[in-house]
Amino acid sequence: QVQMVESGGGLVQAGGSLRLSCTSSGRTISIYPVGWFRQAPGKEREQVAAAYFSGGGTYYADSVKGRFTISRDDAKNTLYLQMNSLKPEDTAVYYCATGVYYSARTGLSAPDYWGQGTQVTVSS
């Protein structure tokens, strides 16, 4: 059974940084496509970053390009999302996910396992 457990959310002022972590058990994140999604109140869930590390690909939504970075630690089987220059509009619940479908154009598609989510709040 695959489990994804996020941590690292919190409250930060605009312009600040946070790093989210997602530890996977049951699936090796260096082999499978992985991604980060977020959902703000009243809005649909959107993908912000994804990676297929064994295929050499990363994907970023236009809204976070140049500010967010997806990375991994193989020894810990942990996925990270480094978020810099945070804006109030980045406020959302952030989820990590993994699946089997990835493309450079759309990132991670139809994830089959999700984490429980972690709240990120950016104050102005």
Side-chain angles (χ1 to χ4, degrees), residues 6 25 33 38 44 52 61 65-66 69 71 75 80-81 102 106 114 117 121:
E6 299 109 336
S25 59
R38 68 185 181 188
E44 292 187 355
Y52 184 26
K65 277 181 184 175
T69 303
S71 64
Y80 300 104
L81 184 68
Y102 175 89
T106 61
W114 294 85
T121 303

Side-chain angles (χ1 to χ4, degrees), residues 30-100:
S30 62
I31 298 174
Y32 285 86
V34 288
W36 289 95
F37 296 72
R38 68 185 181 188
Q39 188 166 21
K43 295 188 176 181
E44 292 187 355
R45 188 174 296 188
E46 64 170 344
Q47 181 174 203
V48 296
Y52 184 26
F53 294 112
S54 61
T58 56
Y59 163 91
Y60 294 96
D62 288 342
S63 58
V64 306
K65 277 181 184 175
R67 300 190 298 122
F68 290 12
T69 303
I70 189 170
S71 64
R72 76 191 195 275
D73 182 328
D74 290 346
K76 298 179 180 179
N77 203 30
T78 296
L79 182 69
Y80 300 104
L81 184 68
Q82 178 67 44
M83 305 185 294
N84 299 328
S85 302
L86 282 162
K87 305 174 182 180
E89 51 263 43
D90 294 318
T91 295
V93 178
Y94 284 71
Y95 301 86
C96 63
T98 180
V100 297

Side-chain angles (χ1 to χ4, degrees), residues 18-35:
L18 278 176
R19 189 179 77 161
L20 305 183
S21 301
C22 173
T23 298
S24 172
S25 59
R27 181 168 287 183
T28 303
I29 63 169
S30 62
I31 298 174
Y32 285 86
V34 288

